[in-house]
Amino acid sequence: MFSVKTITLHVVFLSLFIMVQNPIPMVDLASQYQKIKKEIDQAIQTVIDDTAFINGPHVKSFKSDLEKYLDVKHVIPCGNGTDALQIAMMALGLKHGDEVITANFTFVATVEVIALLGLTPVLVDVLPDTYTMDIEAVKRAITPKTKAIVPVHLFGQVADMDELMEIAEENNLFVIEDTAQAIGADYTFKSGRVAKAGTIGHIGTTSFFPSKNLGCYGDGGAIFTNDDSLAEKLQSVVNHGMKVRYYHDNVGVNSRLDTIQAAILSVKLPYLDQYNKSRREVADYYDRAFSSCQLLKTPYRSPQSTHTFHQYTLVLDQSVDRETLQSYLNEQGISSAVYYPVPLHLQKAYRDERYKEGDFPVTEHLCENVISLPIHTEMNEEILKYITDHVLNFLKSL
Ligand SMILES: *Cc1c(COP(=O)(O)O)cnc(C)c1O
């Protein structure tokens, strides 16, 4: 039998261990792998045995597995989520000077490819609840040069696709959904119809970066569409602009999903719903623990979209010093992160005379006050209690 003293000591050592040896990570890919190790190792070994490294049979079978899962006509696998966005814009035939509207509060990739292709990024603010595109701002941003809208389903929640598709139709615009953070999310239209995120716009894109909700063990990405002729163009762009070998119809790129990655993804896809469910359970725990705390705002959940909680992101009251909270958590062995600290219009690379500080109040407020806590498929109550207790202790001490 342990005496109370030994137990207390044990707890002290546990926290010491967490602090020094083993900080609680934002994601835990190692533990997730351990649970499916046999299947994964076997899948990788098969690819090596077959030496089918490029465009092997696993790429085709993953493509059709994902088409079935998403209920979409075409999945075009590619090298990563950034390529996916670029290829989408190339396949739509967007040209120098065309304007593309996207959300200011996002990962840089979304705007990077717009700039790379010589298109003109037009930034809009996000909504203070879902952190997705402000529909009214989109309407105001449309000009005769606008060709496409790129909503980002940020942190795992789908933008207002009913409204966006309506605006797009009225103005003859394409919609590319950046689904890198929301794969598996269900969107319910006003009509009651339900569709997977990424299959609603003309094109959807995603990333299989290891830490994404469906992550591979390296780089990977995919593009979705229900449009046969767009699918044909996308397929040609990913493969050097050719349909027939060595006959190049348009300028393309070389962007392939590696066969080993495809084999890994085919093992992981059947677990995706379970993975998203366990992320939602983590979010539920956080929500409950923080429900009566006035100094932070827990994530809003849109009634139209399931939330895949790629990130669990709190908005701190302005009286809370984020850096001090982060270093306190860090001292306790708890990781935290800021997605994203600087709005696109204030980034050095994307400064533009059209925009100045103060033009995007919601985005700017979020960049200054958000903090994301660890969320992944392998968390347990003990760890969650440890994290929430420390966050609340810090806030109480203010
Ligand atoms: C991760 C991510 C991307 C880019 O994906 P990569 O595979 O890293 O190129 C694009 N957009 C968003 C919103 C992302 O989160």
Side-chain angles (χ1 to χ4, degrees), residues 4 35 269 380:
V4 175
K35 290 188 182 157
L269 181 59
N380 58 39

Side-chain angles (χ1 to χ4, degrees), residues 181-303:
Q181 302 191 2
I183 191 140
D186 285 314
Y187 181 79
T188 308
F189 291 88
K190 285 184 202 131
S191 67
R193 182 167 81 87
V194 179
K196 288 281 183 209
T199 67
I200 302 162
H202 302 87
I203 300 182
T205 65
T206 202
S207 161
F208 304 120
F209 187 84
S211 64
K212 299 281 153 102
N213 290 35
L214 178 61
C216 59
Y217 291 180
D219 274 307
I223 311 160
F224 325 131
T225 187
N226 279 307
D227 181 315
D228 296 340
S229 78
L230 267 180
E232 203 173 298
K233 283 192 196 123
L234 290 161
Q235 189 56 58
S236 146
V237 174
V238 292
N239 189 25
H240 302 290
M242 67 184 181
K243 269 180 234 155
V244 181
R245 207 178 176 99
Y246 305 128
Y247 290 81
H248 305 276
D249 302 332
N250 45 277
V251 177
V253 296
N254 172 25
S255 185
R256 292 185 284 242
L257 179 66
D258 193 90
T259 309
I260 290 183
Q261 302 307 336
I264 290 165
L265 286 165
S266 277
V267 171
K268 289 186 77 179
L269 181 59
Y271 295 101
L272 178 59
D273 285 342
Q274 189 185 312
Y275 286 164
N276 283 341
K277 182 165 166 274
S278 41
R279 285 172 176 273
R280 271 194 288 278
E281 283 164 5
V282 170
D284 290 344
Y285 186 100
Y286 280 140
D287 281 357
R288 278 195 305 275
F290 297 138
S291 63
S292 55
C293 180
Q294 305 297 313
L295 291 174
L296 46 77
K297 198 177 124 202
T298 56
Y300 170 80
R301 308 211 193 175
S302 156

